[in-house]
Amino acid sequence: MNNERHLVVVSGPSGCGKDTVVKCLRKQHPEIEVSVSATSRLPREGEKEGVDYYYMTRECFEEKCKSGEILEYTDYLGNYYGTPKSEVDKRISQEITVILVIEVEGATNIKRMYPDCTTIFVRPPSYEELAERLCKRGTEDETSIRRRLARAVEEMEYAVDYDYIIINDVKENCAQEMFEIIESRLK
Ligand code: 5GP
């Protein structure tokens, strides 16, 4: 068994519900772990340090990149986001399945580094639904919503490069589909 198969990368445009789907999957399968990323963006209301992200200044993030602590990173709409090395290597060497919920450029880099990892793209049912979810979520101001929607259109073009594309219509169904993919890759 190749340990890279324990690495699962999930992407999808902002507002497609990928984090909710992953949370839903973990309720049923808590043995599957999720990597916590580092970011220079400020915490949103209700987000917790070390649970949602490791929050840090841009300077601190850049230091961590220089010292090789960050496996991949990107500048997404003006903020850094990156996967700490410590979130991945130990887990996969112990055959613990770990999910990275990251954007498309990061996913491309991870696939290059770990060719046998599993990549899953979560699509919203439609663009209109995506726009509605982003507005309803209430976490972003109007400018951020507009930028995230524009970025969503670009991100959708990457879907064909993923091993699997799933549609998040009903979150429980989507989580089950995701679990079945992960399980099938580990057989
Ligand atoms: P948000 O601000 O909505 O939490 O995240 C913005 C985007 O950054 C999302 O698409 C999210 O998946 C992505 N992201 C979160 N962590 C990472 C990471 O470690 N690396 C990369 N490349 N993208 C990330």
Side-chain angles (χ1 to χ4, degrees):
M1 167 68 66
N2 181 340
N3 283 352
E4 288 179 16
R5 293 195 167 224
H6 286 278
L7 182 57
V8 179
V9 179
V10 172
S11 303
S14 182
C16 75
K18 54 192 185 298
D19 291 298
T20 312
V21 170
V22 168
K23 267 192 197 128
C24 188
L25 176 146
R26 291 201 63 232
K27 251 194 205 157
Q28 299 295 324
H29 306 282
E31 72 284 4
I32 296 178
E33 301 191 359
V34 179
S35 160
V36 178
S37 295
T39 185
S40 67
R41 96 151 153 68
L42 293 173
R44 293 183 186 130
E45 212 181 307
E47 287 186 346
K48 288 195 184 82
E49 165 69 21
V51 176
D52 297 286
Y53 282 105
Y54 298 109
Y55 301 92
M56 58 193 71
T57 60
R58 289 184 73 84
E59 292 71 28
C60 178
F61 192 102
E62 284 165 7
E63 276 306 310
K64 286 193 184 295
C65 288
K66 265 190 220 147
S67 62
E69 289 170 65
I70 303 287
L71 205 50
E72 63 72 36
Y73 76 96
T74 195
D75 193 325
Y76 178 93
L77 305 180
N79 289 307
Y80 287 134
Y81 294 82
T83 306
K85 222 174 177 170
S86 55
E87 293 287 308
V88 174
D89 288 343
K90 195 164 161 221
R91 284 180 173 127
I92 63 171
S93 69
Q94 293 173 349
E95 300 192 351
I96 294 170
T97 299
V98 58
I99 301 180
L100 311 188
V101 186
I102 62 177
E103 55 67 67
V104 293
E105 282 169 14
T108 308
N109 290 332
I110 291 286
K111 189 69 174 173
R112 212 171 285 141
M113 288 182 260
Y114 302 90
D116 283 326
C117 73
T118 303
T119 57
I120 304 173
F121 192 91
V122 179
R123 284 185 62 130
S126 65
Y127 179 81
E128 290 71 26
E129 177 78 26
L130 183 73
E132 202 182 313
R133 283 183 192 169
L134 257 181
C135 292
K136 271 197 191 147
R137 199 163 83 173
T139 54
E140 311 300 319
D141 61 26
E142 218 180 300
T143 315
S144 176
I145 291 176
R146 231 178 295 121
R147 292 173 76 198
R148 280 171 186 256
L149 281 173
R151 174 74 183 227
V153 174
E154 291 167 14
E155 285 183 324
M156 294 287 239
E157 287 175 14
Y158 285 76
V160 292
D161 298 330
Y162 282 67
D163 298 321
Y164 301 88
I165 301 174
I166 57 180
I167 297 174
N168 180 21
D169 203 344
V170 177
K171 69 172 191 274
E172 289 81 6
N173 297 350
C174 189
Q176 179 59 24
E177 209 177 329
M178 194 180 275
F179 176 69
E180 284 166 15
I181 290 169
I182 294 171
E183 207 183 33
S184 73
R185 296 275 291 174
L186 293 174
K187 274 182 191 153

